[in-house]
Amino acid sequence: FFGAFHLTAGCLMQRMWLQWSRAARTACRRAYTMQADLIKVLRDETDPRVAIVQFNQPERLNALSVPMGDQFQSVIQHLSRQGDDELRAVVLTGAGRAFSAGGDLGFLRDRTVPAVAAGDQNVQTMLHFYEQFLCVRRLGVPVVAAINGHAIGAGFALSLAADMRV
């Protein structure tokens, strides 16, 4: 008798845990916001299957930097692992008055120093930098660039990597 009760109580507890964890995962998924300083990921309130990826450095006109690229690539990898029922589209936009002012001028200026500019290392560094942002092309869902202001240089190239621009 006690063994059967224990088994039944265990099954009930497991079922309650699964229901709670499913509900908690759903709530967390809808409220998922990666508030890393440079990138924000929000879910559309009307359709949580739409992810809004926002460059979040309005004071620098969302200039693309290496740390921003690292976070952007991480966000895109996270989104690419989601199934069709969780993600149907991605919207790229910028905070403030610019989509993106292009590459960070300090980073680009450092690439022109003669000691750094010589050789294949600089080429590899720049290819890696641009790949961090152009990885958005590997998403299996439509990507819309909601261009809310200036899109210059690499920011313009990023907008062209989207499937649609508005």
Side-chain angles (χ1 to χ4, degrees), residues 49-141:
R49 297 175 301 170
V50 176
I52 302 167
V53 178
Q54 182 181 53
F55 301 114
N56 193 31
Q57 274 199 307
E59 69 282 354
R60 298 186 64 233
L61 300 178
N62 302 311
L64 305 178
S65 63
V66 173
M68 183 184 278
D70 292 338
Q71 290 179 13
F72 184 76
Q73 193 169 32
S74 174
V75 164
I76 297 303
Q77 288 172 352
H78 172 76
L79 292 173
S80 68
R81 288 190 295 267
Q82 295 183 0
D84 288 344
D85 57 331
E86 296 178 63
L87 184 68
R88 301 294 288 168
V90 172
V91 176
L92 298 179
T93 191
R97 60 189 179 100
F99 177 76
S100 175
D104 175 49
L105 293 179
F107 171 73
L108 295 174
R109 184 177 40 250
D110 292 346
R111 306 274 59 88
T112 62
V113 174
V116 174
D120 285 340
Q121 183 60 37
N122 192 41
V123 172
Q124 294 304 316
T125 300
M126 293 307 297
L127 286 173
H128 176 71
F129 174 74
Y130 287 112
E131 175 57 30
Q132 286 181 309
F133 294 98
L134 296 180
C135 68
V136 73
R137 294 294 305 150
R138 289 194 295 269
L139 278 174
V141 297

